[in-house]
Amino acid sequence: EIKHKGASSGNGAWVMRKCAEALGGTCGIQIEEHQTSFYFSCPATIVEETKEKPDKRFRLPEKTWVVVLEDSAVQRKLL
């Protein structure tokens, strides 16, 4: 049986806004009758495409940190 809280803590949108600010971008929310849409936009550098196949054995360099903030119990399980 899956139980839904029925409400969001709102932290996801706050985190998204802080990330957008840190990256020099913007974000927002559009609430409609049947859906809610979030948008996130920030400057990005276009990397030229190469014909080389990606290395499936790619490893993150040592001392690389990855930070994930998630207030949804279901999404935390997926991480």
Side-chain angles (χ1 to χ4, degrees):
E1 177 182 341
I2 299 174
K3 294 183 180 181
H4 295 281
K5 185 172 154 184
S8 171
S9 67
N11 291 336
W14 179 84
V15 170
M16 187 172 73
R17 182 172 41 116
K18 289 298 187 183
C19 290
E21 290 172 0
L23 294 169
T26 60
C27 68
I29 184 172
Q30 182 176 347
I31 301 171
E32 299 174 4
E33 183 178 353
H34 298 290
Q35 70 182 21
T36 299
S37 301
F38 290 96
Y39 69 86
F40 180 95
S41 174
C42 68
T45 302
I46 297 174
V47 177
E48 288 188 37
E49 189 175 325
T50 66
K51 295 186 185 222
E52 297 176 23
K53 291 184 179 180
D55 185 352
K56 292 182 181 180
R57 297 168 291 155
F58 173 79
R59 302 246 188 248
L60 291 173
E62 286 188 38
K63 298 185 181 180
T64 298
W65 287 69
V66 176
V67 178
V68 178
L69 303 172
E70 182 53 62
D71 64 342
S72 165
V74 172
Q75 291 183 27
R76 279 194 304 270
K77 286 181 183 181
L78 296 173
L79 296 171

